[in-house]
Amino acid sequence: MTTQVNDNRYDESQLQAQFDQTIEAKDRIEPRDWMPEAYRKTLIRQVAQHAHSEIIGMQPEGNWISRAPSLRRKAILLAKVQDEAGHGLYLYSAAETLGATRNELTEKLIAGRQKYSSIFNYPTLSYTDVGTIGWLVDGAAICNQVPLCRTSFGPYGRAMIRICKEESFHQRQGYELLMTMMRGTEAQREMVQESVNRFWWPALMMFGPPDDNSPNTEQSMAWGIKTHTNDELRQKFVDMSVPQAEALGVTFPDEGLKWNEERGHYDFSTPNWDEFWAVVKGDGPCNEQRLAHRKRAWDDGAWVREAALAFAENQAAEAAADETPAAGVETTTPEESAK
Ligand code: BYC
């Protein structure tokens, strides 16, 4: 906890010193605490991007709800996609505590002025991809997001606790789906391998550019927004995923993937960073489709937002009218008059 913004006994350098102390002590910054403008801006950028990813991330899997192979799979997928809507809402709420509005953030997303995770610009070609997304994409998300539970901004860290619990269910359902297919026919095993081949590299890219080309990491680490670098988390994910792949009976499409005794980690090849930047800049296989769909949903929902706003304004006006005494009406109670 640092000093409240409205405490004008402090000048800016004292406020900065208290902020630095809070960060140093790994304590939390709360919405009403003073914070440097650049810290606020960085957080809004990351939290908004995270929220957008959850909402856009509903599309590739939502695409398969009506074609689920069984009632059980349909119930699982529905629950997962609904969870993602919830994650988006907690995160937009966290961004709102920093002074951004959800409308403004969504409009920036639709105008292409804010990003969402590169992974959701790849298509889902069969139901197997639901399993692979659960295992690898949610697996990568867990790796990245568990450390964010200890991020320096309180509302973001607290939102992450619940999100991570739900991501853990998402990862397990994906792995279980793939395991079931691996116990099936040869054709099903081939479908799993083909899907894993398509998602492996995009999943590694989710962690962001390499550290020596990541403009935000150093400052975000100093502020305790990020607690690990992109490369550290990518390595953790590779180390965690290889034994899971072995248990499943699939391989990753990387000749360079080998255990390195000296490092105590798996070595792996360099992802295609040109592809990553092209996808981030809007040239992925599904960028256009994802944003067009989001824009359609936003436009279709305009009347709901307008109606909710009009209702809230009416309620507020009625409440205000109830509190305002009508002209000529005596406001003292009979007991008061008797005194
Ligand atoms: N995709 O300096 P860097 C989920 C951008 S949702 C697109 O390293 P930073 C799920 C980056 O924004 C998963 N853009 O940035 C949902 C920056 O550009 P700007 C979402 C990327 O912020 C549904 C530039 O590249 N998770 O799990 O320090 C179903 C330079 O990068 C990407 C989160 O959002 C990317 N992959 O580090 C299933 C987690 N990577 O903004 C699953 C929270 C980088 O300067 N976010 N960029 O124009 C983070 O942890 C960090 O923001 C990142 C990037 C590690 C992603």
Side-chain angles (χ1 to χ4, degrees):
M1 248 279 290
T2 55
T3 312
Q4 304 281 297
V5 197
N6 57 5
D7 190 339
N8 53 16
R9 285 174 304 159
Y10 291 86
D11 67 22
E12 183 131 340
S13 64
Q14 282 174 307
L15 293 168
Q16 177 74 53
Q18 290 202 347
F19 171 86
D20 293 344
Q21 264 173 23
T22 307
I23 298 290
E24 177 77 25
K26 298 197 185 323
D27 204 350
R28 287 259 159 97
I29 304 294
E30 297 297 339
R32 296 182 63 215
D33 292 339
W34 183 91
M35 61 186 84
E37 222 20 61
Y39 175 85
R40 182 188 302 275
K41 264 180 88 176
T42 296
L43 266 170
I44 293 177
R45 176 187 64 79
Q46 177 167 327
V47 176
Q49 181 174 314
H50 196 163
H52 299 327
S53 304
E54 297 283 355
I55 300 296
I56 297 269
M58 294 165 73
Q59 292 184 37
E61 293 178 280
N63 178 35
W64 287 93
I65 291 172
S66 59
R67 289 174 285 165
S70 68
L71 186 59
R72 177 171 172 267
R73 293 287 170 206
K74 187 171 184 148
I76 294 172
L77 185 57
L78 262 175
K80 179 181 193 279
V81 173
Q82 280 176 354
D83 283 351
E84 281 147 13
H87 298 175
L89 297 186
Y90 316 149
L91 289 163
Y92 283 126
S93 300
E96 283 184 324
T97 69
L98 289 155
T101 70
R102 201 168 131 196
N103 277 12
E104 157 201 336
L105 298 178
T106 306
E107 273 154 17
K108 281 188 179 156
L109 166 75
I110 288 168
R113 290 195 287 127
Q114 275 182 347
K115 299 184 168 76
Y116 58 91
S117 182
S118 49
I119 190 74
F120 302 116
N121 292 309
Y122 292 87
T124 42
L125 304 180
S126 78
Y127 206 85
T128 320
D129 290 353
V130 170
T132 312
I133 289 178
W135 174 36
L136 294 179
V137 175
D138 288 277
I142 292 171
C143 243
N144 168 270
Q145 292 174 14
V146 166
L148 286 174
C149 296
R150 294 188 306 278
T151 193
S152 57
F153 185 59
Y156 189 26
R158 288 189 287 275
M160 292 317 304
I161 294 171
R162 174 150 176 198
I163 292 178
C164 285
K165 287 191 177 147
E166 293 175 351
E167 298 290 16
S168 169
F169 147 67
H170 297 172
Q171 202 249 5
R172 280 151 192 253
Q173 67 79 36
Y175 196 74
E176 190 266 345
L177 191 162
L178 297 183
M179 190 57 102
T180 305
M181 288 185 75
M182 291 303 285
R183 292 199 196 102
T185 63
E186 195 48 40
Q188 285 175 308
R189 280 189 283 279
E190 279 168 17
M191 283 173 82
V192 175
Q193 183 63 61
E194 187 275 332
S195 173
V196 169
N197 289 348
R198 272 184 293 112
F199 275 95
W200 176 245
W201 291 109
L204 290 193
M205 293 176 195
M206 282 175 73
F207 294 93
D211 293 350
D212 56 12
N213 198 18
S214 161
N216 299 298
T217 293
E218 194 182 339
Q219 182 60 74
S220 289
M221 297 274 289
W223 277 329
I225 294 176
K226 284 166 89 165
T227 57
H228 294 74
T229 72
N230 300 355
D231 285 334
E232 283 167 5
L233 293 173
R234 193 169 6 254
Q235 179 72 63
K236 195 165 173 228
F237 176 66
V238 171
D239 292 348
M240 177 182 109
S241 301
V242 173
Q244 293 174 356
E246 282 165 5
L248 197 56
V250 295
T251 55
F252 292 131
D254 180 4
E255 301 266 309
L257 187 63
K258 284 188 190 71
W259 177 251
N260 182 325
E261 194 62 50
E262 214 172 293
R263 291 200 312 120
H265 292 290
Y266 283 92
D267 288 337
F268 56 99
S269 307
T270 307
N272 181 345
W273 292 117
D274 290 341
E275 174 182 319
F276 169 77
W277 289 115
V279 173
V280 168
K281 287 178 184 146
D283 269 340
C286 299
N287 294 59
E288 229 172 273
Q289 180 188 334
R290 302 290 186 240
L291 271 187
H293 189 84
R294 183 71 195 93
K295 181 173 174 353
R296 208 164 39 245
W298 183 247
D299 292 346
D300 287 350
W303 71 270
V304 180
R305 294 191 298 277
E306 281 160 22
L309 205 63
F311 181 72
E313 279 164 3
N314 280 348
Q315 295 278 93
E318 274 173 30
D322 285 349
E323 277 167 24
T324 314
V329 172
E330 188 57 70
T331 53
T332 46
T333 61
E335 291 80 1
E336 279 167 341
S337 311
K339 280 184 194 162

